[in-house]
Amino acid sequence: MLDMSWGEVMLIGGVALIVIGPKDLPKALRTVGQITGKLRRMAGEFQMQFNEAIREAELDEVRREVDGIKRTVGSGTQGFNPVQTIRDELKGAIEAREGRTAPQPGSGTLAEATAQLRAETGYGGQGGSYDVPRPPLPDASAVDPLASDQPARPPGA
């Protein structure tokens, strides 16, 4: 603690024995020990209170961050209904195709809009098919030279 060797402690003890005297030396050492103990306890309490204040400050900061996230999430989800949004978009597409006005929120059902769209486009009805023209597949020998029956030729030959 004070970085003293045993020799220095013996020297201080000898001087204290001569100055204080052998009769009062035990009382003086006991008083010094009590004062040292009180100082250590006070330092420990101070350190404990300081650590507690730091923990509370960190906890308050975390609480503020969580509250901010809750407010952000709460304000972002108000009025958001994905099913209603899809319904309105489908209805708007159908009405725009027919030349009608934009959809009114909450009117019609998704099933009605889907059935009407299928009827107009000819897709997905009973017996309807999704025949989409596809490009022809490339010749296997053009893609993989090992797929051909002919021997492979070196490049440039």
Side-chain angles (χ1 to χ4, degrees):
M1 182 168 128
L2 296 175
D3 198 27
M4 294 189 313
S5 66
W6 282 106
E8 293 172 343
V9 172
M10 293 296 282
L11 181 66
I12 292 171
V15 170
L17 183 63
I18 293 170
V19 172
I20 297 174
K23 184 178 171 187
D24 293 329
L25 186 61
K27 282 193 236 175
L29 291 177
R30 185 179 6 233
T31 304
V32 168
Q34 288 174 349
I35 291 173
T36 305
K38 285 181 183 178
L39 287 174
R40 285 185 178 184
R41 278 192 299 273
M42 286 178 12
E45 288 177 13
F46 175 76
Q47 187 175 10
M48 186 177 64
Q49 288 177 354
F50 185 75
N51 289 339
E52 186 177 327
I54 289 174
R55 262 187 259 119
E56 287 178 6
E58 289 174 356
L59 193 61
D60 287 342
E61 183 180 332
V62 169
R63 278 190 197 130
R64 276 187 259 121
E65 288 178 12
V66 168
D67 289 341
I69 291 171
K70 283 182 183 177
R71 274 187 260 115
T72 303
V73 169
S75 66
T77 59
Q78 291 177 348
F80 178 68
N81 184 354
V83 174
Q84 184 65 37
T85 303
I86 293 170
R87 182 182 298 149
D88 294 343
E89 287 179 9
L90 284 174
K91 190 146 176 93
I94 293 169
E95 290 178 353
R97 187 165 191 187
E98 294 175 354
R100 288 193 263 168
T101 60
Q104 298 298 323
S107 61
T109 64
L110 184 59
E112 291 171 358
T114 306
Q116 186 175 1
L117 185 61
R118 284 182 177 165
E120 289 177 3
T121 58
Y123 286 118
Q126 297 214 336
S129 65
Y130 294 97
D131 291 333
V132 178
R134 297 175 190 240
L137 294 174
D139 184 24
S141 62
V143 176
D144 185 11
L146 298 177
S148 172
D149 291 335
Q150 299 174 356
R153 288 180 281 175

